[in-house]
Amino acid sequence: MTAGALRTLKVCVFLVCLVPLGKLALELLGVAGLSLGANPVEELIHRFGIWGLNFLMITLAVTPLRFMTGKNWLIRFRRMLGLFAFFYVLMHFLVYAGLDQGFDLSVILEDVVERPYITVGFTALLLLIPLAVTSTNRMMKRLGRRWQKLHRLVYPIAVLAVWHFYWQVKLDTLEPIVYIAILSFLLGYRFWRKYVRSAHPR
Amino acid sequence: MKRILSSEITSESNYRNRRQFIRDAGLAIGGGALASALPLVAAAEGRDLATVPGPHSTDETPNSWTDVTTYNNFYEFGTGKEDPYRNAGDFVTAPWSVKISGECDKPGTHALEDIMAPHTLEDRVYRHRCVEAWSMVVPWVGFPLGDLLKRFAPNSNAKFVRFKTLYDPKQMPGQRRAILDWPYVEGLTIAEAMHPLTLMVVGVFGKELPNQNGAPLRLVVPWKYGFKGIKSIVEIEFTRRQPRTSWELSAPHEYGFYANVNPEVDHPRWSQARERRIGAGLFASKQPTLMFNGYADEVAELYAGLDLRKNY
Ligand code: HEM
């Protein structure tokens, strides 16, 4: 792929990644009869949470997809996708902290300490911060091999995120189970490639 | 100063027409995706009911028709809050009959019309507190459950009342997956059932109950979490022993038989100290939850000597 085509494609992907945010904005403003429903705060938390999780999964899908298709330029999109995951998760947290809990630090802290599903989600968010901070080219160069090691944190983060989703469900666990399946595939593929496939070269 | 909601300013029918118009416009454009993203129009409005003002009403402002009829937990029609509104439109509620059985002198099966006939329908505006820490104010229409139960002459063995929802997976898509042990079962002690606050509900806003709100006959127990308010009731049984309720069976450490609103006893996964009032707006803070949902003066005596931490 030429540098120009890649740049164009990057702009397109960037805009597509903003679609969930745009839709939320339209619903928030009540444009064209769209709405967030009777409980907008809850809806915002849920939608940002789901999209944070979706982008984590999409980010983790880049490498398997690259191996399967042989299209190495796919890797050039991974950083953007990862940062969008961070952005949506951060919004998820900010809506929770701001609109749901009114930035009441004692209540938030109590939730983080006493509600296991929030403890797990909060850990995932904290672990995402160093990844976001070290996503620049400069940091990549500066950290060298350690950069890669650090960014393997995305695996436990994804596990924590799906676990958090599973734990907050009231009754119907179908949706989180779908994510467990997707994540198992994404991580299982890497394991298979690294240990099983390389042990039996064809 | 009180915030005024747009849905309060726009009269109900204007509001509805506007929605209908927007939806038609969406369909006319031929944007299938657009149309499906738009809110559906609520099922045809029910008949007006002849009512008289009842006792025990709160003077808080009721939620809008839209809030009350589009934000529901009625898992028989799906687990999403808007699922009942979207899926219950074709639910057939006439003819409807209710079977009365168990420890009483006059068991039998009665048509809904006979169930309702002797009772005067009352408007009662109650606070409604969901176990998920949100709340509304709902203008119910109904009559005291106790008045109904007395007609069947419960005997001295009748210590509890057990209610059952219709089981009909053809009409109730949510019942096709075993997320709860269908049919939905709820229960009350006989004292709770006979309490003057406990209501058999057949309407809201002076009209027949919309399907998504539990038509044609549902229970409302305003000092308990909303899930006690069983919907679309087909069976009422007087029992000696405490009924095992659906939520209790599904997660006994999270949902108890009593399920009294209690800000001091948290759900294992979230706090019950405060609640989000639906319709209060994006930037409204949560409000404190009141003991027995603010009905402590009326009902606290029912639980004298009972450890409410153990009997949650
Ligand atoms: C990687 C980080 C995280 C991800 C991917 C994530 C994702 C999700 C998802 C998918 C849901 C369910 C949404 C739905 O049911 O539609 C959810 C719910 C929720 N999350 Fe997170 N989350 C993360 C971190 C956090 C953090 C840091 C907090 C707060 C400290 C938090 C608080 C909540 C709350 C309060 C709910 C809603 C529970 C309810 O409505 O009962 N999450 N999250």
Side-chain angles (χ1 to χ4, degrees):
Chain A
M1 185 175 288
T2 67
L6 191 66
R7 209 171 310 129
T8 314
L9 197 56
K10 269 195 174 173
V11 172
C12 293
V13 172
F14 184 84
L15 292 176
V16 169
C17 292
L18 284 174
V19 167
L21 182 70
K23 177 140 187 277
L24 280 177
L26 294 181
E27 289 171 338
L28 194 62
L29 299 171
V31 177
L34 295 172
S35 102
L36 288 171
N39 194 345
V41 176
E42 177 190 59
E43 185 66 15
L44 285 172
I45 293 180
H46 283 193
R47 296 269 289 280
F48 279 125
I50 283 288
W51 280 103
L53 195 57
N54 287 345
F55 276 106
L56 270 177
M57 298 298 126
I58 294 168
T59 309
L60 283 173
V62 170
T63 296
L65 216 64
R66 180 182 154 214
F67 286 135
M68 287 174 192
T69 60
K71 304 237 183 295
N72 281 330
W73 50 264
L74 282 171
I75 203 77
R76 310 284 288 272
F77 291 86
R78 197 172 58 178
R79 166 166 52 190
M80 189 195 335
L81 294 167
L83 284 171
F84 267 108
F86 179 65
F87 168 72
Y88 281 104
V89 168
L90 191 64
M91 292 301 291
H92 175 66
F93 172 71
L94 287 176
V95 173
Y96 156 81
L99 295 183
D100 201 40
Q101 307 293 7
F103 288 119
D104 184 333
L105 288 186
S106 64
V107 176
I108 295 169
L109 206 68
E110 192 186 307
D111 264 0
V112 169
V113 174
E114 281 188 16
R115 321 267 167 225
Y117 85 91
I118 294 200
T119 315
V120 167
F122 195 71
T123 311
L125 174 64
L126 288 184
L127 292 177
L128 273 173
I129 293 171
L131 303 200
V133 169
T134 59
S135 65
T136 60
N137 286 337
R138 250 199 21 213
M139 279 306 234
M140 232 168 180
K141 281 218 186 75
R142 170 133 43 117
L143 290 174
R145 303 203 68 175
R146 281 177 303 158
W147 186 91
Q148 245 188 353
K149 261 197 177 151
L150 177 66
H151 280 248
R152 289 208 185 108
L153 268 180
V154 72
Y155 306 134
I157 288 169
V159 172
L160 290 169
V162 172
W163 184 8
H164 163 76
F165 184 22
Y166 183 86
W167 247 0
Q168 63 82 47
V169 161
K170 224 173 105 203
L171 194 63
D172 186 359
T173 48
L174 179 66
E175 221 186 330
I177 285 172
V178 171
Y179 281 89
I180 291 173
I182 293 170
L183 183 62
S184 306
F185 172 77
L186 293 173
L187 298 184
Y189 177 83
R190 288 170 165 82
F191 184 86
W192 171 79
R193 219 186 123 79
K194 185 151 188 220
Y195 297 104
V196 183
R197 201 190 69 148
S198 57
H200 308 280
R202 271 172 291 177
Chain B
M1 211 182 72
K2 259 200 80 67
R3 187 193 288 273
I4 298 173
L5 298 166
S6 61
S7 50
E8 284 172 13
I9 302 167
T10 321
S11 85
E12 211 173 84
S13 57
N14 269 342
Y15 177 75
R16 214 75 78 72
N17 289 340
R18 187 159 55 86
R19 283 289 165 100
Q20 177 72 62
F21 171 76
I22 292 164
R23 190 168 138 78
D24 289 350
L27 290 169
I29 295 164
L34 177 63
S36 70
L38 291 173
L40 299 174
V41 177
E45 217 167 74
R47 279 182 301 129
D48 283 336
L49 298 167
T51 63
V52 301
H56 305 295
S57 281
T58 169
D59 50 18
E60 288 161 86
T61 312
N63 277 80
S64 68
W65 169 271
T66 311
D67 287 346
V68 172
T69 60
T70 64
Y71 192 78
N72 307 101
N73 278 325
F74 193 177
Y75 282 11
E76 282 79 349
F77 292 101
T79 52
K81 292 287 188 295
E82 291 189 3
D83 287 349
Y85 162 66
R86 292 175 190 283
N87 299 337
D90 298 331
F91 180 50
V92 179
T93 57
W96 192 271
S97 59
V98 183
K99 181 180 160 199
I100 317 289
S101 64
E103 302 289 347
C104 64
D105 295 342
K106 298 178 183 165
T109 299
H110 300 271
L112 181 67
E113 294 71 28
D114 302 335
I115 294 274
M116 288 172 60
H119 303 281
T120 306
L121 297 182
E122 299 172 12
D123 291 304
R124 293 207 193 181
V125 186
Y126 279 168
R127 285 180 290 277
H128 177 86
R129 171 62 157 80
C130 178
V131 73
E132 299 166 338
W134 55 264
S135 64
M136 292 196 198
V137 176
V138 186
W140 300 113
V141 176
F143 51 90
L145 173 67
D147 292 352
L148 173 68
L149 297 185
K150 280 175 207 149
R151 288 165 51 195
F152 311 113
N155 63 38
S156 60
N157 287 327
K159 300 286 192 279
F160 296 90
V161 186
R162 181 173 181 270
F163 304 85
K164 209 190 258 183
T165 296
L166 178 70
Y167 178 70
D168 187 353
K170 277 213 188 76
Q171 290 203 77
M172 295 175 142
Q175 290 177 336
R176 292 173 209 160
R177 288 179 46 226
I179 50 172
L180 277 172
D181 188 9
W182 309 114
Y184 198 93
V185 169
E186 258 308 336
L188 297 172
T189 67
I190 195 80
E192 292 171 337
M194 293 297 177
H195 194 279
L197 275 176
T198 306
L199 212 58
M200 268 284 100
V201 163
V202 295
V204 274
F205 293 96
K207 298 179 197 316
E208 276 180 337
L209 210 52
N211 292 344
Q212 63 268 34
N213 293 83
L217 185 72
R218 67 166 293 173
L219 180 67
V220 168
V221 195
W223 70 92
K224 292 177 180 283
Y225 293 121
F227 69 86
K228 294 297 288 184
I230 184 169
K231 302 183 173 93
S232 305
I233 296 168
V234 292
E235 265 187 62
I236 300 176
E237 183 188 0
F238 297 96
T239 65
R240 289 163 188 248
R241 291 196 300 157
Q242 183 173 308
R244 307 196 59 192
T245 68
S246 295
W247 278 98
E248 214 186 345
L249 283 170
S250 80
H253 53 289
E254 298 192 341
Y255 309 99
F257 174 78
Y258 286 94
N260 292 318
V261 176
N262 187 340
E264 282 150 34
V265 178
D266 284 347
H267 185 280
R269 287 183 283 159
W270 58 84
S271 165
Q272 295 291 24
R274 297 185 307 144
E275 64 202 42
R276 177 164 297 287
R277 178 59 60 83
I278 301 299
L282 203 54
F283 300 103
S285 47
K286 291 187 183 173
Q287 59 187 58
T289 288
L290 304 173
M291 189 65 205
F292 296 115
N293 201 22
Y295 298 98
D297 286 349
E298 289 92 338
V299 302
E301 60 174 13
L302 290 175
Y303 308 102
L306 196 70
D307 183 347
L308 295 176
R309 258 171 212 291
K310 288 207 185 103
N311 299 282
Y312 50 88

